[in-house]
């Protein structure tokens, strides 16, 4: 089959977008002459403007609006999310070919169905997306490329947000998914102070508008000055700021994956999530975790005493960060 117009339905979370970039590139490699467009939720759609393999990006506006917008415009829809809802617009729009995992009761909406291989458990999510493409009969690369190159204008936005020259280290104390993924704010403050004192770095706190009070509490607890960028950046400016960091100390989150994709070293504290599946991709990153018996539980909120995070000391994270900076 030689489709000339391909629609990729993007994942809904920034981290998943990054981890699926290798599969978008595999699609481009397999169909070099096709027009390749991405349909994505508005909060992640901007990211695809930094992916040169993508010809155009559409912001999703809901099932019916998406179906109307894509009717007659594509030969194939490739679904990266697992949900029933993500398969509905191409089905309703009559896109002739609809490919994806047969998950969430949506197999009948698809024309090519992949099964989730059991062997993927405990492997990076990068391979989950790759296995879907292989499962619908496409050739995939041995080493998916999930890197991001920061566009010059995004880098300039990042410089503007940071306001002065570095060296900068970032702290990312939030996690949109839920509080179980969040390491303790006072320990972030202690790590920030230790790095400022020992390595002379400047500290920027990144995150969303909802995390601004969290950023403020960390800045207030630190002795060294800290720049609270939570809620102050667009996604483009956040990518630009991350690209200028020497290091990001972070929870398992979207900014963690963005930094890793940009080639910025990461020190990541892992608790309830499976570090084998969602670890930052690339070389030189450090994971700090405590092997408690209940992890990985994948819960949003901890039902017990949050031991997976509480047992990770500020000393351990600071040592990992100092090593990374060295
Ligand atoms: S149940 Fe265990 S792994 Fe899950 S958040 Fe609580 S302490 Fe962490």
């Amino acid at each position: 089959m030689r489709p000339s117009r391909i629609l990729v339905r993007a994942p809904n979370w920034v981290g998943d977008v990054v981890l699926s970039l290798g599969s978008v590139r595999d699609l481009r490699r397999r169909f070099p002459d096709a027009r390749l467009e991405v349909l994505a939720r508005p909060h992640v759609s901007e990211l695809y403007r930094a992916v040169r393999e993508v010809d155009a990006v559409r912001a999703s506006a809901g099932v019916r609006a998406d179906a109307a917008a894509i009717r007659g415009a594509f030969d194939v829809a490739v679904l990266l999310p697992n949900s029933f809802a993500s398969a509905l617009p191409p089905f309703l729009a009559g896109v002739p070919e609809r490919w994806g995992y047969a998950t969430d009761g949506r197999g009948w909406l698809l024309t090519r169905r992949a099964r989730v291989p059991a062997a993927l458990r405990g492997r990076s999510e990068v391979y989950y997306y790759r296995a879907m493409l292989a499962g619908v009969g496409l050739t995939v690369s041995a080493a998916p490329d999930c890197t991001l190159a920061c566009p010059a204008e995004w880098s300039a936005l990042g410089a503007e947000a940071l306001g002065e020259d570095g060296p900068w280290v970032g702290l990312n104390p939030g996690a949109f998914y839920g509080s179980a993924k969040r390491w303790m704010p006072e320990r972030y403050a202690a790590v920030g102070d230790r790095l400022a004192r020992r390595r002379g770095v400047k500290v920027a706190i990144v995150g969303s508008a909802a995390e601004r009070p969290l950023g403020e509490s960390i800045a207030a607890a630190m002795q060294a000055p800290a720049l609270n960028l939570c809620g102050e950046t667009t996604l483009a400016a956040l990518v630009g700021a991350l690209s200028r960091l020497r290091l990001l100390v972070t929870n398992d989150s979207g900014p963690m994956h963005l930094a890793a994709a940009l080639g910025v070293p990461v020190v990541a504290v892992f608790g309830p999530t499976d570090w084998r599946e969602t670890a930052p991709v690339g070389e030189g990153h450090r994971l700090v975790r405590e092997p408690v018996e209940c992890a990985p539980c994948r819960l949003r909120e901890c039902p017990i005493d949050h031991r997976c995070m509480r047992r990770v000391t500020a000393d351990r994270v600071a040592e990992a960060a100092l090593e990374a900076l060295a």
Side-chain angles (χ1 to χ4, degrees):
M1 184 185 184
R2 298 179 68 84
S4 58
R5 303 165 304 171
I6 300 173
L7 179 71
V8 176
R9 175 59 167 85
N12 297 328
W13 299 81
V14 167
D16 295 337
V17 167
V18 171
L19 295 175
S20 64
L21 285 177
S23 291
V24 173
R25 292 187 168 118
D26 273 350
L27 274 173
R28 166 51 75 213
R29 215 168 285 129
R30 174 67 183 77
F31 302 111
D33 302 323
R35 179 169 175 82
L36 198 158
E37 295 193 25
V38 168
L39 175 66
R41 289 269 174 88
H43 67 280
V44 298
S45 60
E46 195 177 13
L47 200 49
Y48 287 98
R49 300 194 192 282
V51 182
R52 63 178 174 76
E53 289 82 358
V54 171
D55 295 312
V57 189
R58 294 169 181 244
S60 170
V63 169
R64 296 211 171 272
D66 288 350
I70 65 177
R71 184 164 290 122
F74 296 98
D75 308 313
V76 176
V78 179
L79 309 173
L80 297 177
N82 290 327
S83 64
F84 187 89
S86 65
L88 262 182
F91 176 80
L92 294 174
V95 177
E97 289 288 322
R98 304 173 300 275
W99 303 345
Y101 276 126
T103 45
D104 202 24
R106 67 181 191 177
W108 61 280
L109 299 177
L110 307 179
T111 56
R112 286 196 198 178
R113 302 163 193 88
R115 300 266 165 222
V116 180
L120 283 178
R121 194 122 188 115
R123 289 199 76 194
S124 171
E125 206 179 286
V126 167
Y127 298 102
Y128 183 83
Y129 294 110
R130 185 180 73 157
M132 187 273 285
L133 294 189
V136 298
L138 301 182
T139 308
V140 292
S141 52
D145 175 4
C146 294
T147 58
L148 261 183
C150 183
E153 61 271 35
W154 293 15
S155 177
L157 290 173
E160 195 180 316
L162 291 167
E164 49 187 80
D165 289 340
W168 286 97
V169 163
L171 304 179
N172 176 45
F176 192 71
Y177 184 74
S179 65
K181 277 182 165 188
R182 291 185 184 170
W183 193 49
M184 289 68 225
E186 66 279 7
R187 296 183 195 178
Y188 269 105
V191 170
D193 270 336
R194 184 95 61 97
L195 299 182
R197 197 167 58 245
R198 296 270 300 271
R199 290 285 187 269
V201 297
K202 298 172 185 172
V203 175
I205 304 166
V206 298
S208 65
E211 291 156 356
R212 187 148 187 89
L214 176 63
E216 271 168 18
S217 72
I218 291 171
M222 286 180 59
Q223 288 165 352
L227 176 65
N228 183 11
L229 289 179
C230 296
E232 298 288 308
T233 55
T234 60
L235 186 54
L238 173 65
V239 170
L242 290 172
S243 74
R244 293 174 166 271
L245 299 180
R246 288 273 311 279
L247 174 75
L248 180 69
V249 183
T250 178
N251 299 327
D252 177 13
S253 62
M256 175 190 80
H257 289 294
L258 287 174
L262 291 161
V264 174
V266 158
V267 171
V269 184
F270 268 71
T273 46
D274 192 330
W275 63 98
R276 299 163 301 178
E277 294 177 0
T278 58
V281 175
E283 302 295 319
H285 308 303
R286 288 165 169 77
L287 267 51
V288 188
R289 51 177 285 271
E290 187 68 22
V292 294
E293 65 288 344
C294 47
C297 70
R298 298 183 177 84
L299 296 173
R300 288 176 186 254
E301 314 294 333
C302 180
I304 51 172
D305 58 2
H306 213 191
R307 66 191 64 174
C308 62
M309 287 295 191
R310 291 199 173 281
R311 290 183 189 174
V312 175
T313 64
D315 279 349
R316 277 178 66 192
V317 176
E319 281 310 312
L322 287 166
E323 270 176 37
L325 284 172

